[in-house]
Amino acid sequence: MTAIRALPATTSYAVGFGVSSVRTPPTNLRSRRVVNAQAEPSDKSVEIMRKFSEQYARRSDTYFCVDKSVTSVVIKGLADHKDSLGAPLCPCRHYDDKAAEATQGFWNCPCVPMRERKECHCMLFLTPDNDFAGNEQAISMEEIKELTANM
Ligand code: SF4
């Protein structure tokens, strides 16, 4: 049974995946379109955020989601913000003023909760004890394109 918990009102979705005894890919994360995957970021920014994600996962001893379409959508969301805002603002939240948030920096990836407590509510970086953590810290450009092709 999956427990649902509410995230702060400022978040754009209210789903917690941390409490589950079943390793089921969190398809509801994708179907809710918490990340705007419709915008097509530049290949250059996707590649920058892809490399960053691999390096930061290794550095923080975290892993990508067992369902790498989640990883792919978040990387593209970060790349989209890098293109539009000049900074990889977290794509899983609602902001009244994105430009101001990007300047402030708290939610630029890796955000402060991730840096301080290894908390990534986007499920890009998962600690090994997380039910949805896979065993990979690498993702290719081809995987990202393939896994987001129909979104
Ligand atoms: S580390 Fe923070 S900013 Fe980066 S994807 Fe996760 S929640 Fe968003």
Side-chain angles (χ1 to χ4, degrees), residues 127-138:
T127 52
D129 62 337
N130 189 296
D131 286 336
F132 297 107
N135 54 15
E136 292 185 60
Q137 293 171 316

Side-chain angles (χ1 to χ4, degrees), residues 13 52 56 74 78 88-93 95 106-115 119-125:
Y13 62 101
F52 154 77
Y56 193 75
V74 176
L78 289 168
L89 186 66
C90 184
C92 308
R93 303 181 65 82
Y95 309 95
F106 187 95
W107 288 111
N108 288 346
C109 195
C111 60
V112 173
M114 181 66 207
R115 278 182 268 152
E119 288 177 9
C120 173
H121 63 270
C122 290
M123 299 182 68
L124 178 57
F125 303 115

Side-chain angles (χ1 to χ4, degrees), residues 6-14 93-94:
L7 291 174
T10 51
T11 53
S12 57
Y13 62 101
R93 303 181 65 82
H94 166 76

